[in-house]
Coordinates of all heavy atoms in Angstrom, one line a residue:
M28 N -86.1 -97.9 -3.3 CA -85.5 -96.9 -4.1 C -86.6 -96.2 -4.9 O -87.5 -96.9 -5.5 CB -84.4 -97.4 -5.0 CG -83.9 -96.4 -6.0 SD -82.6 -96.7 -7.1 CE -82.5 -98.5 -7.3
T29 N -86.5 -94.9 -5.1 CA -87.5 -94.2 -5.9 C -87.2 -94.4 -7.4 O -86.0 -94.4 -7.8 CB -87.4 -92.7 -5.5 OG1 -87.6 -92.5 -4.2 CG2 -88.4 -91.9 -6.3
K30 N -88.2 -94.5 -8.2 CA -88.0 -94.6 -9.6 C -89.0 -93.7 -10.4 O -90.1 -93.5 -10.0 CB -88.3 -96.1 -10.1 CG -87.2 -97.0 -9.6 CD -87.4 -98.4 -10.1 CE -86.3 -99.3 -9.6 NZ -86.4 -100.6 -10.2
Y31 N -88.5 -93.1 -11.4 CA -89.2 -92.2 -12.3 C -89.1 -92.8 -13.7 O -88.1 -93.4 -14.0 CB -88.7 -90.8 -12.3 CG -88.7 -90.2 -11.0 CD1 -87.7 -90.3 -10.1 CD2 -89.8 -89.4 -10.6 CE1 -87.7 -89.8 -8.8 CE2 -89.9 -88.8 -9.3 CZ -88.8 -89.0 -8.4 OH -88.9 -88.4 -7.2
S32 N -90.1 -92.6 -14.5 CA -90.1 -93.3 -15.9 C -90.8 -92.4 -16.9 O -91.6 -91.5 -16.6 CB -90.8 -94.6 -15.8 OG -90.7 -95.3 -17.0
W33 N -90.4 -92.6 -18.1 CA -91.0 -91.9 -19.3 C -90.7 -92.8 -20.5 O -89.9 -93.7 -20.5 CB -90.5 -90.5 -19.5 CG -89.1 -90.4 -20.0 CD1 -88.7 -90.2 -21.3 CD2 -87.9 -90.4 -19.2 NE1 -87.3 -90.2 -21.3 CE2 -86.8 -90.3 -20.1 CE3 -87.6 -90.6 -17.8 CZ2 -85.5 -90.3 -19.7 CZ3 -86.3 -90.6 -17.4 CH2 -85.3 -90.5 -18.3
V34 N -91.4 -92.5 -21.6 CA -91.3 -93.2 -22.8 C -90.6 -92.3 -23.8 O -91.1 -91.2 -24.1 CB -92.6 -93.7 -23.4 CG1 -92.4 -94.4 -24.8 CG2 -93.3 -94.7 -22.4
E35 N -89.6 -92.7 -24.5 CA -88.9 -92.0 -25.6 C -89.8 -92.2 -26.8 O -89.7 -93.2 -27.5 CB -87.5 -92.5 -25.8 CG -86.7 -91.7 -26.8 CD -86.4 -90.3 -26.3 OE1 -86.0 -90.2 -25.1 OE2 -86.5 -89.4 -27.1
K36 N -90.7 -91.2 -27.1 CA -91.7 -91.4 -28.1 C -91.1 -91.5 -29.5 O -91.6 -92.1 -30.4 CB -92.7 -90.3 -28.0 CG -93.6 -90.5 -26.8 CD -94.7 -89.5 -26.8 CE -95.5 -89.7 -25.6 NZ -96.9 -89.4 -25.8
S37 N -89.9 -91.0 -29.7 CA -89.3 -91.0 -31.0 C -88.9 -92.4 -31.5 O -88.7 -92.7 -32.6 CB -88.1 -90.1 -31.1 OG -87.0 -90.5 -30.2
T38 N -88.8 -93.3 -30.5 CA -88.4 -94.7 -30.8 C -89.5 -95.7 -30.6 O -89.4 -96.9 -30.9 CB -87.1 -95.1 -30.1 OG1 -87.3 -95.0 -28.7 CG2 -85.9 -94.3 -30.5
C39 N -90.6 -95.2 -29.9 CA -91.7 -96.1 -29.6 C -92.4 -96.6 -30.9 O -92.7 -95.8 -31.8 CB -92.7 -95.3 -28.7 SG -94.2 -96.3 -28.4
I40 N -92.7 -97.9 -30.9 CA -93.4 -98.4 -32.1 C -94.8 -98.9 -31.7 O -95.5 -99.5 -32.5 CB -92.6 -99.6 -32.7 CG1 -92.4 -100.7 -31.7 CG2 -91.3 -99.1 -33.3 CD1 -91.9 -102.0 -32.3
A41 N -95.3 -98.5 -30.6 CA -96.7 -98.8 -30.1 C -97.0 -100.3 -30.2 O -98.1 -100.6 -30.6 CB -97.7 -97.9 -30.9
C42 N -96.1 -101.1 -29.8 CA -96.3 -102.5 -29.8 C -97.3 -103.1 -28.8 O -97.9 -104.1 -28.9 CB -95.0 -103.3 -29.8 SG -94.2 -103.2 -28.1
G43 N -97.5 -102.3 -27.7 CA -98.4 -102.7 -26.7 C -97.8 -103.5 -25.5 O -98.6 -103.8 -24.5
S44 N -96.6 -103.8 -25.6 CA -96.0 -104.7 -24.5 C -96.0 -103.9 -23.1 O -96.2 -104.5 -22.1 CB -94.6 -105.2 -24.9 OG -93.7 -104.1 -25.0
C45 N -95.7 -102.6 -23.1 CA -95.6 -101.9 -21.9 C -97.0 -101.8 -21.2 O -97.1 -102.0 -20.0 CB -95.0 -100.5 -22.1 SG -95.9 -99.4 -23.1
A46 N -98.0 -101.5 -21.9 CA -99.3 -101.4 -21.3 C -99.9 -102.8 -20.9 O -100.6 -102.9 -19.9 CB -100.3 -100.8 -22.3
A47 N -99.4 -103.8 -21.6 CA -99.8 -105.2 -21.1 C -99.1 -105.6 -19.8 O -99.7 -106.2 -19.0 CB -99.5 -106.2 -22.2
A48 N -97.8 -105.2 -19.7 CA -97.1 -105.5 -18.5 C -97.4 -104.6 -17.3 O -97.3 -105.1 -16.2 CB -95.6 -105.5 -18.8
A49 N -97.7 -103.4 -17.6 CA -97.9 -102.4 -16.5 C -99.0 -101.4 -16.9 O -98.8 -100.2 -17.1 CB -96.6 -101.6 -16.3
P50 N -100.3 -101.9 -16.9 CA -101.4 -101.1 -17.3 C -101.7 -99.9 -16.3 O -102.3 -98.9 -16.7 CB -102.6 -102.0 -17.3 CG -102.2 -103.1 -16.4 CD -100.7 -103.3 -16.5
D51 N -101.2 -100.0 -15.1 CA -101.3 -98.9 -14.1 C -100.3 -97.7 -14.4 O -100.5 -96.6 -13.9 CB -101.2 -99.3 -12.7 CG -102.3 -100.3 -12.3 OD1 -103.4 -100.1 -12.8 OD2 -102.0 -101.2 -11.4
I52 N -99.3 -98.0 -15.2 CA -98.3 -97.0 -15.5 C -98.3 -96.5 -16.9 O -98.1 -95.3 -17.1 CB -96.9 -97.7 -15.2 CG1 -96.8 -98.2 -13.8 CG2 -95.8 -96.7 -15.5 CD1 -95.5 -99.0 -13.5
F53 N -98.6 -97.4 -17.9 CA -98.5 -97.0 -19.3 C -99.9 -97.0 -20.0 O -100.7 -97.9 -19.7 CB -97.6 -97.9 -20.0 CG -96.2 -97.8 -19.5 CD1 -95.7 -98.8 -18.6 CD2 -95.3 -96.8 -19.9 CE1 -94.4 -98.7 -18.1 CE2 -94.0 -96.8 -19.4 CZ -93.6 -97.7 -18.5
D54 N -100.1 -96.1 -20.9 CA -101.2 -96.1 -21.8 C -100.8 -95.5 -23.1 O -99.6 -95.3 -23.3 CB -102.4 -95.4 -21.2 CG -103.8 -95.8 -21.8 OD1 -103.8 -96.5 -22.8 OD2 -104.8 -95.4 -21.2
Y55 N -101.7 -95.1 -23.9 CA -101.4 -94.5 -25.3 C -101.9 -93.1 -25.4 O -103.0 -92.8 -24.9 CB -101.9 -95.4 -26.4 CG -101.3 -96.8 -26.3 CD1 -101.9 -97.8 -25.6 CD2 -100.0 -97.0 -26.7 CE1 -101.3 -99.0 -25.4 CE2 -99.4 -98.2 -26.6 CZ -100.0 -99.2 -25.9 OH -99.4 -100.4 -25.7
D56 N -101.1 -92.3 -26.1 CA -101.6 -90.9 -26.3 C -102.5 -90.8 -27.5 O -102.8 -91.9 -28.1 CB -100.4 -89.9 -26.5 CG -99.5 -90.2 -27.7 OD1 -99.9 -91.0 -28.6 OD2 -98.4 -89.7 -27.8
D57 N -102.9 -89.7 -27.9 CA -103.8 -89.5 -29.1 C -103.2 -90.0 -30.4 O -103.9 -90.2 -31.4 CB -104.2 -88.0 -29.2 CG -105.1 -87.6 -28.0 OD1 -105.7 -88.5 -27.4 OD2 -105.2 -86.4 -27.8
E58 N -101.9 -90.0 -30.5 CA -101.2 -90.5 -31.7 C -100.9 -92.0 -31.7 O -100.3 -92.5 -32.6 CB -99.9 -89.7 -31.9 CG -100.1 -88.2 -32.1 CD -98.8 -87.4 -32.1 OE1 -97.7 -88.1 -32.2 OE2 -98.9 -86.2 -32.1
G59 N -101.3 -92.7 -30.6 CA -101.1 -94.1 -30.5 C -99.8 -94.5 -29.9 O -99.5 -95.7 -29.9
L60 N -99.0 -93.6 -29.4 CA -97.7 -93.9 -28.8 C -97.8 -94.1 -27.3 O -98.7 -93.5 -26.7 CB -96.7 -92.8 -29.2 CG -96.4 -92.6 -30.6 CD1 -95.5 -91.4 -30.8 CD2 -95.8 -93.9 -31.3
A61 N -97.0 -94.9 -26.8 CA -97.0 -95.2 -25.3 C -96.6 -94.0 -24.6 O -95.8 -93.2 -25.1 CB -96.2 -96.4 -25.0
E62 N -97.1 -93.9 -23.3 CA -96.7 -92.8 -22.4 C -97.0 -93.2 -21.0 O -97.8 -94.1 -20.8 CB -97.4 -91.5 -22.7 CG -98.9 -91.5 -22.5 CD -99.5 -90.1 -22.8 OE1 -98.8 -89.2 -23.1 OE2 -100.7 -90.0 -22.7
V63 N -96.2 -92.6 -20.1 CA -96.5 -92.9 -18.7 C -97.7 -92.0 -18.3 O -97.8 -90.8 -18.5 CB -95.3 -92.5 -17.8 CG1 -95.6 -92.6 -16.3 CG2 -94.1 -93.3 -18.2
I64 N -98.7 -92.7 -17.7 CA -99.9 -92.1 -17.3 C -100.1 -92.1 -15.7 O -101.0 -91.5 -15.2 CB -101.1 -92.7 -17.9 CG1 -101.1 -94.2 -17.7 CG2 -101.1 -92.4 -19.4 CD1 -102.4 -94.7 -17.0
Y65 N -99.2 -92.8 -15.0 CA -99.4 -93.0 -13.6 C -99.5 -91.6 -12.9 O -98.7 -90.7 -13.0 CB -98.2 -93.7 -13.0 CG -98.4 -93.9 -11.5 CD1 -99.3 -94.9 -11.0 CD2 -97.8 -93.1 -10.6 CE1 -99.6 -95.0 -9.7 CE2 -98.1 -93.2 -9.2 CZ -98.9 -94.1 -8.8 OH -99.2 -94.3 -7.5
N66 N -100.6 -91.5 -12.1 CA -100.9 -90.3 -11.3 C -100.8 -89.0 -12.1 O -100.3 -88.0 -11.6 CB -100.0 -90.3 -10.1 CG -100.6 -89.6 -8.9 OD1 -101.8 -89.4 -8.9 ND2 -99.8 -89.2 -8.0
G67 N -101.2 -89.0 -13.3 CA -101.3 -87.8 -14.1 C -99.9 -87.3 -14.6 O -99.8 -86.2 -15.0
D68 N -98.9 -88.2 -14.7 CA -97.6 -87.8 -15.1 C -97.5 -87.2 -16.5 O -96.6 -86.4 -16.7 CB -96.6 -88.9 -14.9 CG -95.1 -88.5 -15.1 OD1 -94.6 -87.8 -14.3 OD2 -94.6 -88.9 -16.2
S69 N -98.3 -87.7 -17.4 CA -98.3 -87.2 -18.8 C -96.9 -87.4 -19.4 O -96.4 -86.5 -20.2 CB -98.7 -85.8 -18.9 OG -100.1 -85.7 -18.4
N70 N -96.2 -88.5 -19.1 CA -94.9 -88.8 -19.7 C -93.8 -87.8 -19.4 O -92.9 -87.6 -20.2 CB -95.1 -89.0 -21.2 CG -94.0 -89.9 -21.8 OD1 -93.8 -91.0 -21.3 ND2 -93.3 -89.5 -22.8
Q71 N -93.9 -87.2 -18.3 CA -92.8 -86.2 -17.9 C -91.7 -86.7 -17.0 O -90.7 -86.0 -16.8 CB -93.5 -85.0 -17.2 CG -94.5 -84.2 -18.0 CD -93.9 -83.7 -19.3 OE1 -92.9 -83.0 -19.3 NE2 -94.4 -84.1 -20.4
G72 N -91.9 -87.9 -16.5 CA -90.9 -88.5 -15.6 C -90.8 -87.7 -14.3 O -89.8 -87.7 -13.6
A73 N -91.9 -87.1 -13.9 CA -91.9 -86.2 -12.7 C -92.6 -86.8 -11.5 O -92.4 -86.4 -10.4 CB -92.6 -84.9 -13.1
V74 N -93.4 -87.9 -11.7 CA -94.1 -88.5 -10.6 C -93.4 -89.9 -10.3 O -93.2 -90.7 -11.2 CB -95.6 -88.8 -11.0 CG1 -96.3 -89.5 -9.9 CG2 -96.3 -87.5 -11.4
A75 N -93.1 -90.0 -9.0 CA -92.4 -91.3 -8.6 C -93.4 -92.4 -8.7 O -94.6 -92.3 -8.4 CB -92.0 -91.1 -7.1
I76 N -92.9 -93.5 -9.3 CA -93.6 -94.8 -9.4 C -93.5 -95.5 -8.1 O -92.4 -95.7 -7.6 CB -93.1 -95.6 -10.5 CG1 -93.0 -94.9 -11.9 CG2 -93.9 -96.9 -10.7 CD1 -94.3 -94.4 -12.4
P77 N -94.7 -95.8 -7.5 CA -94.6 -96.5 -6.1 C -93.9 -97.8 -6.2 O -93.9 -98.5 -7.2 CB -96.1 -96.6 -5.7 CG -96.8 -96.5 -7.0 CD -96.0 -95.7 -7.9
E78 N -93.3 -98.2 -5.1 CA -92.5 -99.4 -5.0 C -93.3 -100.7 -5.4 O -92.8 -101.6 -6.0 CB -91.9 -99.5 -3.6 CG -90.8 -100.6 -3.5 CD -90.1 -100.5 -2.2 OE1 -89.9 -99.4 -1.7 OE2 -89.6 -101.6 -1.8
D79 N -94.6 -100.7 -5.0 CA -95.4 -101.9 -5.4 C -95.6 -102.1 -6.9 O -96.1 -103.1 -7.3 CB -96.7 -101.9 -4.6 CG -97.7 -100.7 -5.0 OD1 -97.2 -99.6 -5.2 OD2 -98.9 -100.9 -5.0
L80 N -95.3 -101.1 -7.7 CA -95.4 -101.2 -9.1 C -94.0 -101.3 -9.8 O -93.9 -101.4 -11.0 CB -96.1 -100.0 -9.7 CG -97.6 -99.8 -9.4 CD1 -98.1 -98.5 -9.9 CD2 -98.4 -101.0 -9.8
H81 N -92.9 -101.4 -9.0 CA -91.6 -101.5 -9.6 C -91.4 -102.7 -10.4 O -90.7 -102.7 -11.5 CB -90.5 -101.4 -8.5 CG -90.3 -100.0 -8.0 ND1 -89.3 -99.6 -7.1 CD2 -91.0 -98.8 -8.2 CE1 -89.4 -98.4 -6.8 NE2 -90.4 -97.8 -7.5
D82 N -91.9 -103.9 -10.0 CA -91.7 -105.1 -10.8 C -92.4 -105.0 -12.1 O -91.9 -105.4 -13.2 CB -92.3 -106.3 -10.0 CG -91.4 -106.7 -8.9 OD1 -90.2 -106.3 -8.8 OD2 -91.9 -107.5 -8.0
D83 N -93.6 -104.4 -12.1 CA -94.4 -104.2 -13.4 C -93.6 -103.2 -14.3 O -93.5 -103.4 -15.5 CB -95.8 -103.6 -13.2 CG -96.7 -104.7 -12.5 OD1 -96.3 -105.9 -12.5 OD2 -97.8 -104.3 -12.1
L84 N -93.0 -102.2 -13.7 CA -92.3 -101.2 -14.5 C -91.1 -101.9 -15.1 O -90.8 -101.7 -16.3 CB -91.8 -100.0 -13.5 CG -90.9 -99.0 -14.1 CD1 -91.6 -98.3 -15.3 CD2 -90.5 -98.0 -13.1
Q85 N -90.4 -102.7 -14.3 CA -89.2 -103.3 -14.9 C -89.6 -104.3 -16.0 O -88.9 -104.5 -17.0 CB -88.4 -104.0 -13.8 CG -87.0 -104.5 -14.2 CD -86.1 -103.4 -14.7 OE1 -85.9 -102.4 -14.0 NE2 -85.6 -103.5 -15.9
D86 N -90.7 -105.1 -15.8 CA -91.1 -106.0 -16.8 C -91.5 -105.3 -18.1 O -91.1 -105.7 -19.2 CB -92.4 -106.7 -16.3 CG -92.1 -107.8 -15.2 OD1 -90.9 -108.1 -15.0 OD2 -93.1 -108.2 -14.6
A87 N -92.1 -104.1 -18.0 CA -92.4 -103.3 -19.2 C -91.1 -102.9 -19.9 O -91.0 -102.9 -21.1 CB -93.3 -102.1 -18.8
C88 N -90.2 -102.4 -19.1 CA -88.9 -101.9 -19.6 C -88.2 -103.1 -20.3 O -87.7 -102.9 -21.5 CB -88.0 -101.3 -18.5 SG -86.5 -100.6 -19.1
D89 N -88.1 -104.2 -19.7 CA -87.4 -105.4 -20.2 C -88.1 -105.9 -21.5 O -87.5 -106.4 -22.4 CB -87.4 -106.5 -19.2 CG -86.5 -106.2 -18.0 OD1 -85.6 -105.3 -18.1 OD2 -86.6 -106.9 -17.0
G90 N -89.4 -105.7 -21.6 CA -90.2 -106.2 -22.7 C -90.3 -105.3 -23.9 O -90.8 -105.6 -25.0
C91 N -89.8 -104.1 -23.7 CA -89.8 -103.1 -24.8 C -88.8 -103.4 -25.9 O -87.6 -103.4 -25.6 CB -89.6 -101.7 -24.2 SG -89.7 -100.4 -25.5
P92 N -89.3 -103.7 -27.1 CA -88.4 -104.1 -28.2 C -87.5 -103.0 -28.7 O -86.5 -103.3 -29.3 CB -89.3 -104.7 -29.2 CG -90.6 -103.9 -29.0 CD -90.7 -103.7 -27.6
T93 N -87.8 -101.8 -28.4 CA -87.0 -100.6 -28.9 C -86.3 -99.9 -27.8 O -85.7 -98.8 -28.0 CB -87.9 -99.7 -29.7 OG1 -88.9 -99.2 -28.8 CG2 -88.5 -100.3 -30.9
D94 N -86.3 -100.4 -26.5 CA -85.7 -99.8 -25.4 C -86.2 -98.3 -25.2 O -85.4 -97.4 -24.9 CB -84.2 -99.8 -25.5 CG -83.6 -101.2 -25.4 OD1 -84.2 -102.0 -24.6 OD2 -82.7 -101.5 -26.1
S95 N -87.5 -98.1 -25.5 CA -88.0 -96.7 -25.4 C -88.4 -96.3 -24.0 O -88.6 -95.2 -23.7 CB -89.2 -96.6 -26.3 OG -88.9 -96.8 -27.7
I96 N -88.5 -97.3 -23.1 CA -88.9 -97.0 -21.7 C -87.7 -96.7 -20.9 O -86.7 -97.5 -20.9 CB -89.7 -98.2 -21.1 CG1 -91.0 -98.4 -21.8 CG2 -89.9 -97.9 -19.6 CD1 -91.7 -99.7 -21.4
K97 N -87.7 -95.5 -20.3 CA -86.5 -95.0 -19.5 C -86.9 -95.0 -18.1 O -88.0 -94.7 -17.7 CB -86.1 -93.6 -20.0 CG -85.9 -93.5 -21.5 CD -84.9 -94.4 -22.0 CE -84.7 -94.3 -23.5 NZ -83.8 -95.3 -24.1
I98 N -85.9 -95.4 -17.2 CA -86.1 -95.4 -15.8 C -84.9 -94.8 -15.1 O -83.8 -95.1 -15.5 CB -86.3 -96.9 -15.2 CG1 -87.4 -97.6 -15.9 CG2 -86.4 -96.9 -13.7 CD1 -87.5 -99.1 -15.6
V99 N -85.2 -93.9 -14.2 CA -84.1 -93.2 -13.5 C -84.5 -93.2 -12.0 O -85.6 -93.3 -11.6 CB -83.8 -91.8 -14.0 CG1 -83.2 -91.8 -15.4 CG2 -85.0 -90.9 -13.9
S100 N -83.5 -93.0 -11.1 CA -83.8 -93.0 -9.7 C -83.9 -91.6 -9.1 O -84.3 -91.4 -8.0 CB -82.7 -93.8 -8.9 OG -81.4 -93.2 -9.2
K101 N -83.5 -90.6 -9.9 CA -83.6 -89.2 -9.5 C -84.4 -88.4 -10.6 O -84.1 -88.5 -11.8 CB -82.2 -88.6 -9.3 CG -81.5 -89.1 -8.1 CD -80.2 -88.3 -7.9 CE -79.1 -88.9 -8.7 NZ -77.8 -88.2 -8.5
Q102 N -85.4 -87.7 -10.1 CA -86.2 -86.9 -11.1 C -85.4 -86.0 -12.0 O -85.7 -85.9 -13.2 CB -87.2 -86.1 -10.3 CG -88.2 -85.4 -11.2 CD -89.2 -84.5 -10.4 OE1 -89.0 -84.3 -9.2 NE2 -90.2 -84.1 -11.0
E103 N -84.4 -85.4 -11.4 CA -83.6 -84.5 -12.3 C -82.8 -85.2 -13.4 O -82.3 -84.6 -14.3 CB -82.6 -83.6 -11.4 CG -81.6 -84.5 -10.6 CD -82.1 -84.8 -9.2 OE1 -83.3 -84.7 -8.9 OE2 -81.3 -85.2 -8.4
D104 N -82.7 -86.5 -13.3 CA -82.1 -87.3 -14.4 C -83.0 -87.6 -15.5 O -82.6 -88.2 -16.5 CB -81.5 -88.6 -13.8 CG -80.3 -88.3 -12.9 OD1 -79.7 -87.3 -13.0 OD2 -80.0 -89.3 -12.1
A105 N -84.3 -87.3 -15.4 CA -85.2 -87.5 -16.5 C -84.9 -86.5 -17.6 O -84.9 -85.3 -17.5 CB -86.6 -87.3 -16.0
V106 N -84.6 -87.1 -18.8 CA -84.2 -86.3 -20.0 C -85.3 -86.6 -21.0 O -85.4 -87.7 -21.5 CB -82.8 -86.8 -20.5 CG1 -82.5 -86.0 -21.7 CG2 -81.8 -86.6 -19.4
L107 N -86.0 -85.6 -21.3 CA -87.1 -85.7 -22.2 C -86.8 -85.0 -23.5 O -86.2 -84.1 -23.6 CB -88.4 -85.2 -21.6 CG -88.8 -85.8 -20.3 CD1 -90.0 -85.1 -19.7 CD2 -89.1 -87.3 -20.5

């Protein structure tokens, strides 16, 4: 199944758990908040996360203490 992801920055506390669980998907912006960086996505939820990274993506989502990581199966469902 295709998955798209983004970080709801208004609730992100920059704890680091997402980048630790999925460093190929998440990093930090200039303000220190997490964002999706996979394949140049720039936290838009526009680039499909490849299936071989789905377990890391889910681990990051499950480990986020503020539920700031969002995952959808259709790009048009990405609400930023």
Side-chain angles (χ1 to χ4, degrees):
M28 173 178 18
T29 304
K30 293 186 180 185
Y31 300 87
S32 183
W33 71 96
V34 176
E35 185 70 42
K36 291 188 179 211
S37 65
T38 56
C39 176
I40 59 171
C42 69
S44 64
C45 61
D51 293 329
I52 302 171
F53 299 98
D54 203 352
Y55 299 95
D56 65 13
D57 292 338
E58 297 175 8
L60 299 175
E62 65 180 356
V63 173
I64 52 123
Y65 181 77
N66 206 19
D68 185 75
S69 298
N70 206 50
Q71 298 302 303
V74 176
I76 305 298
E78 194 168 326
D79 63 322
L80 294 177
H81 284 186
D82 287 343
D83 290 349
L84 176 62
Q85 191 62 54
D86 288 346
C88 186
D89 292 344
C91 180
T93 59
D94 295 323
S95 297
I96 297 172
K97 308 303 179 188
I98 302 172
V99 295
S100 59
K101 292 189 268 181
Q102 182 182 17
E103 60 267 18
D104 290 339
V106 179
L107 303 176

